[in-house]
């Protein structure tokens, strides 16, 4: 017995010692791990790397595939690339209209088939090399000829026949078909002298010490930890007033809120209205609610078909009836949904083009707009032959008016909206079956046409052409499993298609606007979707440290996630603001905790040893 | 995910080690069981995730203005246009070369990603485990020695309260109080965005980032060690050898630490080994709340991606850790408990 307990004692003592040793060595590994990221920062020539009060720290949870402008498709790097590389033509601050980018001016000829751009004088890359038309031609040619380099923006050059650079300042784009939307927007131009030397540009991550033309250049990227940008003093609109940007990773949005409160970061976006309200009145913090670029709608399956007309999916036959779809619209009260579900943080929607693009959006006073009116909804259904059955649900030709609505179980917004919809629709005699599911399943079902209605929405670019395009008959899937095409709601109306072609070549903007309004009105009447609201983007920042954030659109717009690079362009440190006493207490307490643990561990082992000695 | 793994290997956990079996046979049977579990995990790693709804490319391209041609190009880049059997073959190749393919999002091999994040997780869970075990065992034996006393009731009660508290909630609460309001500790990450240049500064920086996640993790797990230690010591307390020890004139403290505790440690050590794997898998919530760049966070991101190769890689690695630690628990148990190896 004695013998056995001694063995156990020894084993347990050595186990504890081993565990402590392991913890110690791991601690060392952690410190060694810490080294590289600091080396990168040290190695940079930029003041952005030091803990200067003029580095704007932004909380993010965003995915990064790469910072390669040819291939990156996620939101965070796409937004970063807007700050790194100028386009030939920019989206302006006021409402996103085409404005001066690398190109000073442009003109069209040949009925809109040829676009000629004249570049600004004296433009330089951030390494001092001149920016010329050859860089532009190189960028476009790569996208047109190498399929792997067209992954991010290939659709924007699909109408390009050829690109010429007759002299250093002139770029000529020859199009296959006339095009009214400016072809110079949204394509980041890269420096040929850098990219032509890269062996496989499609695989190039472009994640440190970039050379670009924009206001900020990427210094270093450490996945899930930080992204560091320094300002470009040679930026043609003027050097930024802050020395750099730093994205800091916070997986959890509640943690982001705490980080802003404690001063660990200076800017957060994508807040929920609860978080937004909680931050109102926090010391040193200013909240901002801006009109976003996104619409939210109930997408309706009005009979899914492939581009060549083969039906697929399980959409309810009743929804092929335009009267039923219009009755749904009459029965749904957008105003209440906006006020109750979104706490009023948004604008009532009309179409799929948000009001933040007033040039294109369908105005609320358009004659096509149908008012919320449940009594009218009942009349519409009565007139259409849907008779109220004994259980209150309408019936026509033995078919009950019962519809399914897919709801994302992880989205409180969708769930609450569904809670409002159900009684509203029941009141007019429509049975609503709410089906809760995960977002991947919903995405899958919506592709396959396996739904009656689901919540949908897109972020819209300043030019409406793409969004209008995915509402044409030709954009519908080519295969009956729903792949081979991107369609917004499976919508198809030849009259809409005809106007789509017209607006695409309407070089006069006033004329084009008139056509687009007619298209949106037609789509509204056809009711392929019921747009509910344009949700505001909820943001907050440390106003005790930074000021002058720019909005796009300049009236009531947003700071982060703009269709441009205006947000932080003129941001300046607040005079007299110091670096917040960033977690020095934490450092000390952390040190004490570690020391206590190590000492306690040592004492324990020693005591165990001594006990062992004594009993032997 | 980890629960699925846990239940897959549950059969082994509850297995009483067969008595009086020759060492080599015992070893081989345990090893065989582990190998079968591993094969199941590898098969599941492919087919379970392939059955997930949704086309990864469509989900990645969601909301980006991309044409069908662009999406097809992306699909080809990711190898998703190949027939299922070829994809399975590639997957097997990747698993057996311990490479797991390239992550869709990170554009680097899953093995190198896991390698990078693994040590961060070990740092967090290892520290937490050492503290939780030490604290649990110490409080457990104290509580047992005076069981029924106020000390016992308070420590046991407190431990059980922390054990029942949802990890997520406790983590956020600590974050709000000590991070957001008091500014005592950083609100996330493993080090400051601009860490101090010297080595000591760096260690302290990492340590200060560790405090809140470690406290959370210790608080939610130490109860199980406490309870097992307490129960097994109470069982030892009526034994004759303790009376003998007291009769020799040993002080009460010495009777406890020198005689009773070592015997009571046995079941506890097994428990410790069995829980190491679970601890690492259980880090998902804590790493997510505290933005700790570890395997748990990697898994969370892989699911939200969805980043199939990364998801498969983390699944297989987590499962392997649990299978291996369970195997170790079995072997250590045999080593420690003579009754198991008595021929």
């Amino acid at each position: 017995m004695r013998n056995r307990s001694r063995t156990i004692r020894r084993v347990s003592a050595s186990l504890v010692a081993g565990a402590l040793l392991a913890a110690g060595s791991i601690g060392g590994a952690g410190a060694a791990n810490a080294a590289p990221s600091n080396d990168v920062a040290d190695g940079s020539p930029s003041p952005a790397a030091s803990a200067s009060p003029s580095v704007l720290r932004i909380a993010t949870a965003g995915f990064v595939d790469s910072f390669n402008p040819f291939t990156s498709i996620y939101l965070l790097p796409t937004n970063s690339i807007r700050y790194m590389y100028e386009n030939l033509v920019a989206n302006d601050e006021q409402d996103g209209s085409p404005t001066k980018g690398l190109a000073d001016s442009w003109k069209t000829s040949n009925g809109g088939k040829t676009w000629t751009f004249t570049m600004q004088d004296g433009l330089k890359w951030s390494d001092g090399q001149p920016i010329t038309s050859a860089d532009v031609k190189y960028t476009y040619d790569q996208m047109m000829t190498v399929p792997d380099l067209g992954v991010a923006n290939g659709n924007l050059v699909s109408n390009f026949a050829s690109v010429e650079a007759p002299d250093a300042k002139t770029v000529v784009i020859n199009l296959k078909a006339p095009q009214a939307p400016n072809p110079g927007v949204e394509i980041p131009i890269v420096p040929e002298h850098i990219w032509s030397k890269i062996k496989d540009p499609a695989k190039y991550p472009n994640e440190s010490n970039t050379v670009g033309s924009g206001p900020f250049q990427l210094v270093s990227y450490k996945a899930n930890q930080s992204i560091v940008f320094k300002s470009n003093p040679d930026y043609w609109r003027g050097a930024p007033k802050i020395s750099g940007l730093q994205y800091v990773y916070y997986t959890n949005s509640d943690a982001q809120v705490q980080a802003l409160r404690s001063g660990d970061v200076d800017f957060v976006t994508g807040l929920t209205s609860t978080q937004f309200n909680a931050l109102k009145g926090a010391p040193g913090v200013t909240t901002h609610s801006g009109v976003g670029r996104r619409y939210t709608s109930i997408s309706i399956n009005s009979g899914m078909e492939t581009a060549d007309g083969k039906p697929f999916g399980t959409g309810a036959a009743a929804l092929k009836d335009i009267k039923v779809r219009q009755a749904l619209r009459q029965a749904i009260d957008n105003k209440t949904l906006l006020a109750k579900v979104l706490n009023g943080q948004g604008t009532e929607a009309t179409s799929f083009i948000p009001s933040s693009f007033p040039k294109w959006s369908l105005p609320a006073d358009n004659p096509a707009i149908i008012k919320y009116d449940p009594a009218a909804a009942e009349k519409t259904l009565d007139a259409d032959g849907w008779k109220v059955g004994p259980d209150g649900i309408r019936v026509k030709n033995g078919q009950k008016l019962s519809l399914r609505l897919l709801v994302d179980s992880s989205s409180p917004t969708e769930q609450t909206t569904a809670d409002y919809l159900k009684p509203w629709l029941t009141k007019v005699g429509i049975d609503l079956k709410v089906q809760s599911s995960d977002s991947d399943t919903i995405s899958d079902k919506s592709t396959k046409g396996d739904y009656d209605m689901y919540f949908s929405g897109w972020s819209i670019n300043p030019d409406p052409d793409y969004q209008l395009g995915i509402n044409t008959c030709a954009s519908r899937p080519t295969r009956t499993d729903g792949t081979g095409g991107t369609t917004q709601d499976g919508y198809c109306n030849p009259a809409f298609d005809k106007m789509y072609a017209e607006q695409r070549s309407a070089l006069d903007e006033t004329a084009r606007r008139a056509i687009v309004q007619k298209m949106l009105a037609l789509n509204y009447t056809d009711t392929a979707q019921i747009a509910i609201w344009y949700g505001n983007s909820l943001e907050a920042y440390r106003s005790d440290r930074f000021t002058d954030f720019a909005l796009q659109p300049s009236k009531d717009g947003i700071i982060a996630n703009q269709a441009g690079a205006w947000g932080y362009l003129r941001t300046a440190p607040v005079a007299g603001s110091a670096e917040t006493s960033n977690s020095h207490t934490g450092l000390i307490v952390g040190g004490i905790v570690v020391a206590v643990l190590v000492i306690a561990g040592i004492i324990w082992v020693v005591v165990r040893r001594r006990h062992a000695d004594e009993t032997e | 995910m980890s629960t699925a793994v846990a239940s897959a290997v549950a059969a082994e956990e509850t297995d009483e080690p067969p008595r009086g079996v020759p060492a080599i046979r015992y070893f081989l049977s345990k090893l065989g069981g582990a190998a079968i579990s591993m094969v199941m995990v590898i098969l599941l790693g492919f087919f379970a995730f392939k059955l997930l709804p949704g086309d990864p490319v469509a989900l990645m391209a969601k909301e980006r203005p991309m044409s069908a041609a662009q999406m097809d190009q992306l699909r080809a880049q990711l190898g998703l246009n190949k027939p299922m059997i070829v994809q399975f073959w590639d997957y097997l190749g990747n698993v057996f070369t311990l490479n797991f393919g390239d992550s869709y999002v990170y554009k680097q091999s899953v093995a190198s990603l896991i390698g990078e994040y693994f040590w961060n997780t070990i740092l967090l869970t290892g520290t937490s485990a050492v503290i939780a075990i030490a604290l649990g065992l110490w409080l457990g034996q104290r509580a047992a020695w005076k069981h029924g006393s106020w000390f016992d009731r308070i420590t046991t009660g407190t431990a059980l309260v922390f054990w029942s508290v949802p990890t997520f909630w406790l983590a956020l609460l600590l974050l709000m109080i000590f991070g957001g309001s008091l500014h005592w500790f950083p609100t996330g990450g493993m080090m400051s965005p601009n860490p101090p240049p010297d080595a000591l500064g760096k260690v302290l920086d990492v340590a200060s980032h560790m405090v809140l996640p470690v406290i959370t993790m210790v608080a939610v797990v130490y109860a199980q060690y406490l309870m097992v230690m307490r129960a097994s010591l109470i069982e030892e307390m009526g034994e004759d050898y303790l009376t003998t020890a007291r009769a020799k004139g040993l002080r009460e403290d010495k009777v406890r630490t020198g005689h009773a505790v070592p015997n009571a440690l046995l079941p506890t050590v097994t428990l410790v080994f069995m829980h190491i794997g679970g601890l690492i898998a259980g880090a998902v919530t804590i790493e997510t709340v505290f933005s700790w760049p570890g395997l748990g966070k990697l898994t969370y991101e892989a699911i939200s991606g969805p980043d199939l190769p990364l998801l498969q890689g983390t699944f297989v690695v987590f499962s392997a850790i649990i299978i291996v630690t369970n195997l170790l628990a079995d072997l250590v148990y045999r080593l420690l408990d003579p009754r198991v190896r008595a021929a």
Side-chain angles (χ1 to χ4, degrees), chain A residues 29 74 88 96 134 171 189 201-202 227 236 247 249 265 278 332 484 501 516 552:
Chain A
Y74 284 113
L88 206 47
V171 177
I189 304 298
I227 312 170
W236 71 269
Y247 284 90
Y249 270 83
V265 297
I332 294 174
V516 170
Q552 185 200 42

Side-chain angles (χ1 to χ4, degrees), chain A residues 2 4 8-9 11-12 15 19 26-27 31 33-34 38 49 63-65 72-74 78 147-148 150-155 223-225 246 248-252 254-255 258-259 261-262 264 294 440-441 443-444 457-459 461 466 484-486 585-587 589-591 594 597 608 611 614, chain B residues 53-54 59-60 63-68 70-71 73-74 77 105-107 116-117 120 122-123 130-131 168 172 175-176 179-181 183-188 191 193-195 197 202-205 207-208 211 248 254 257-258 262-263 265 269 288-289 291 293 297-298 300-301 304-305 336 338:
Chain A
R2 261 192 76 107
R4 180 188 139 204
I8 290 171
R9 231 177 293 139
V11 169
S12 63
L15 268 179
I26 289 156
N33 239 351
N38 193 55
F63 283 118
V64 173
D65 39 4
S72 169
I73 59 170
Y74 284 113
T78 302
D148 276 345
V151 164
N153 293 310
N155 59 314
N224 284 321
Q225 297 193 24
Q246 184 163 26
V248 186
Y249 270 83
Y250 283 89
T251 320
N252 180 283
D254 289 316
Q258 298 309 323
R261 284 181 63 211
S262 81
D264 281 353
R294 194 182 159 76
D440 291 358
T441 302
S443 161
D444 193 43
W458 291 72
S459 286
N461 281 332
Y466 176 82
T486 303
T585 340
L587 273 185
V589 178
V594 170
L597 282 178
R608 296 247 118 230
H611 274 299
E614 244 177 76
Chain B
L59 291 170
M60 284 163 86
E63 299 216 1
R64 191 183 171 88
M66 281 174 89
S67 62
Q70 279 166 284
M71 299 221 271
Q73 187 65 32
L74 194 56
Q77 273 182 17
V105 177
Y106 295 88
K107 312 276 182 209
E116 253 173 65
Y117 287 73
N120 299 345
I122 292 291
L123 175 63
V130 168
I131 297 174
F168 192 76
L172 273 177
L175 186 66
M176 216 171 90
S181 298
H183 310 187
W184 284 8
F185 299 105
T187 41
M191 41 197 146
N194 309 291
K202 255 177 224 150
V203 171
L204 288 183
D205 183 38
S208 74
V211 174
K248 285 194 302 188
K254 194 129 285 174
T257 56
N263 285 301
L265 264 180
V269 170
T288 306
V289 175
S291 315
K297 193 180 164 195
L298 208 56
Y300 174 81
E301 310 241 299
S304 8
L336 291 184

